[in-house]
Amino acid sequence: GAVVSQHPSRVICKSGTSVKIECRSLDFQATTMFWYRQFPKQSLMLMATSNEGSKATYEQGVEKDKFLINHASLTLSTLTVTSAHPEDSSFYICSATAGGFIGTDTQYFGPGTRLTVL
Amino acid sequence: KQEVTQIPAALSVPEGENLVLNCSFTDSAIYNLQWFRQDPGKGLTSLLLIQSSQREQTSGRLNASLDKSSGRSTLYIAASQPGDSATYLCAVRPESYNTDKLIFGTGTRLQVFP
């Protein structure tokens, strides 16, 4: 099956720094990538939808300037948490689809990135 | 607004029991419903995907059913094993959105003890 990787798998940073998380589709071209956030013992919440070559679409309540998303190629999307604070500590998961008709395509999930902001 | 709820939130059972996990959603206008497994600190593993026109899907000891009109799905796990211990998430793909985004349920944390 299709494989999606994330890097890094774990990051610890000081408050106020920026952190970049990469999401790569290893064996397929991902026209759309999704970024989710998961707090401890909670479900996944969609943050934004990222289409290659265009601006990301953010969910209500997600700050665009805080969570910068770049989908520069068909195999790579990046999420940058700018000026991170302890409340941004969470598990960030990306997923990717290869395109096709809406409602029929499968999302392939990455292994996640654990962000801890001190 | 689509909301997805899972019951129970947590479940602890001895090995060998047959289990039923429940998922309910408020808007029946969905393309499909998917069940995932998540191990602690890990990503998601897709278990079963049921299209809106289907009633059930089976994979090994897992069987998922879908009653779209009533907004319900169940995941049946036969002869549970300690290796089945994980969090199980259901997710729906709403028809109302012009994207392939998923709406996830709250999850059921399952522990199967020897």
Side-chain angles (χ1 to χ4, degrees):
Chain A
V3 178
V4 175
S5 69
Q6 282 185 241
H7 178 79
S9 59
R10 184 183 299 266
V11 58
I12 301 173
C13 69
K14 293 182 179 180
S15 183
T17 60
S18 294
V19 176
K20 179 183 286 188
I21 302 170
E22 294 185 347
C23 177
R24 293 182 183 272
S25 56
L26 299 186
D27 50 3
F28 68 100
Q29 294 186 327
T31 55
T32 304
M33 288 184 172
F34 301 88
W35 286 95
Y36 295 85
R37 179 169 54 186
Q38 184 179 34
F39 291 108
K41 296 186 178 181
Q42 295 188 23
S43 191
L44 277 73
M45 298 298 295
L46 180 66
M47 299 175 65
T49 302
S50 168
N51 291 298
E52 185 268 337
S54 63
K55 292 184 179 180
T57 301
Y58 290 80
E59 295 299 301
Q60 190 174 6
V62 178
E63 300 176 57
K64 299 179 182 181
D65 296 331
K66 175 120 182 116
F67 299 98
L68 301 178
I69 293 174
N70 187 336
H71 193 160
S73 77
L74 284 172
T75 59
L76 174 64
S77 176
T78 60
L79 168 67
T80 301
V81 183
T82 62
S83 186
H85 288 93
E87 58 265 28
D88 298 322
S89 298
S90 186
F91 193 56
Y92 293 86
I93 303 178
C94 73
S95 69
T97 65
F101 294 110
I102 289 176
T104 63
D105 209 3
T106 299
Q107 284 191 31
Y108 302 97
F109 284 81
T113 296
R114 171 75 60 192
L115 170 63
T116 302
V117 185
L118 303 177
Chain B
K1 178 184 176 183
Q2 177 72 270
E3 293 185 0
V4 183
T5 306
Q6 292 184 242
I7 295 173
L11 187 60
S12 183
V13 300
E15 181 177 9
E17 280 203 5
N18 300 322
L19 309 171
V20 176
L21 308 182
N22 298 290
C23 172
S24 61
F25 45 97
T26 55
D27 188 348
S28 61
I30 63 170
Y31 282 119
N32 56 52
L33 182 145
Q34 199 163 359
W35 283 93
F36 294 90
R37 168 186 173 138
Q38 184 178 31
D39 293 289
K42 305 293 184 181
L44 304 182
T45 300
S46 179
L47 298 174
L48 292 165
L49 183 149
I50 312 175
Q51 299 293 349
S52 62
S53 59
Q54 297 175 324
R55 298 285 292 184
E56 66 177 345
Q57 283 287 330
T58 298
S59 176
R61 293 183 294 109
L62 305 179
N63 175 277
S65 66
L66 174 64
D67 185 342
K68 183 182 171 183
S69 60
S70 67
R72 295 182 180 184
S73 176
T74 61
L75 178 66
Y76 178 82
I77 303 175
S80 59
Q81 302 171 358
D84 295 329
S85 299
T87 295
Y88 291 81
L89 297 164
C90 69
V92 299
R93 183 165 292 175
E95 287 182 5
S96 57
Y97 298 122
N98 192 29
T99 72
D100 281 324
K101 70 179 184 182
L102 298 176
I103 308 297
F104 279 86
T106 47
T108 294
R109 293 188 301 280
L110 173 64
Q111 181 179 9
V112 181
F113 53 90

